[in-house]
Amino acid sequence: MNYHTPSKLQAVVLDWAGTVVDFGSFAPTQIFVEAFAEFGVEVSLEEARGPMGMGKWDHIRTLCDLPQIAERYHAAFGRYPTDQDVTAIYNRFMPLQIEKIAEHSALIPGALEAIMQLRAQGLKIGSCSGYPAVVMEKVVALAKTNGYEADHVVATDEVPNGRPHPAQALANVIALGIEDVAACVKVDDTWPGILEGRRAGMWTVALTCSGNALGLTYAQYKALPADRLAQERLRIGRLFEGSRPHYLIDTIAELPEVIADINARLAKGEMPQGR
């Protein structure tokens, strides 16, 4: 049997916070700030956003490795944070996250309509997140009440390695019965999520305005003057450069146009690994 490149897409693998729900990705970031504060260590919202997209334990470890945060921890406890300290913060983070996840569970405007268009074309909808399964259970239930239900969900603690490793994206490929990774698109608002898709051999779409990098509510985003929005798009585009997304768009509402373009490229024999 000979190998043939796929002629059209079969699936889209969507991130959750900042991509489909929680426009400014506030649910995870604010809770990081609160969890550290309970240990007497100040972490700014901007600092908390830096490693967004990773699994939450790895996210906390990365924050603790930042020199300025490590020094604040040392000032509070007389030592630099160990893995045991990271676990202690994580164990406080988790109940706070579960308690407050509903406060930021609204679907991103245009998300449901875009996903309905993709389903109408026969695409399967996979999903993955930096949240662990216990949080995802609540996120999924809240999304269902708002009309969104993915065909498959993979939490960060359901695979050996979370983002930026490709395991979650590839777990969706297996579960959805996809024939070729090149027939998949990974959509995310963070660089670890884009790297995940790249390493899985998929097409990748980075969201510049609906998620972590811009960090605004939908109303604040819509109120930005045109020149400021253009500057922010350039800034965020530079943040994504290293992860090499194939496409950058403002929000998931623009995704159907990207899907059409990828299908046209696949029909011409182009592959995601080719650029």
Side-chain angles (χ1 to χ4, degrees), residues 218-232:
Y218 181 71
Q220 290 170 332
Y221 154 66
K222 295 299 288 184
L224 282 179
D227 59 341
R228 170 71 188 283
L229 183 57
Q231 292 171 5
E232 288 297 302

Side-chain angles (χ1 to χ4, degrees), residues 105-238:
S105 62
L107 292 176
I108 287 170
L112 201 56
E113 294 80 0
I115 292 166
M116 288 174 63
Q117 288 185 51
L118 303 187
R119 286 196 185 281
Q121 298 173 36
L123 273 75
K124 296 178 180 179
I125 307 298
S127 71
C128 54
S129 172
Y131 286 133
V134 66
V135 177
M136 279 311 305
E137 183 178 354
K138 191 166 185 179
V139 172
V140 168
L142 288 165
K144 188 174 181 179
T145 65
N146 290 325
Y148 172 59
E149 191 170 7
D151 296 321
H152 190 63
V153 181
V154 182
T156 191
D157 57 348
E158 294 177 323
V159 294
N161 299 102
R163 302 164 180 166
H165 294 270
Q168 286 178 274
L170 294 175
N172 274 280
V173 171
I174 294 167
L176 297 173
I178 305 305
E179 297 173 356
D180 193 315
V181 291
C184 297
V185 183
K186 176 67 205 299
V187 184
D188 209 291
D189 65 298
T190 67
W191 63 263
I194 295 301
L195 274 179
E196 170 198 16
R198 268 292 193 173
R199 289 172 173 177
M202 299 178 176
W203 299 91
T204 54
V205 181
L207 304 177
T208 57
C209 295
S210 71
N212 182 65
L214 186 61
L216 299 178
T217 66
Y218 181 71
Q220 290 170 332
Y221 154 66
K222 295 299 288 184
L224 282 179
D227 59 341
R228 170 71 188 283
L229 183 57
Q231 292 171 5
E232 288 297 302
R233 287 192 185 109
L234 287 173
R235 176 185 68 82
I236 295 166
R238 288 193 290 270

Side-chain angles (χ1 to χ4, degrees), residues 67-78:
Q68 68 272 25
I69 294 177
E71 289 300 331
R72 291 174 210 155
Y73 198 96
H74 188 274
F77 293 97

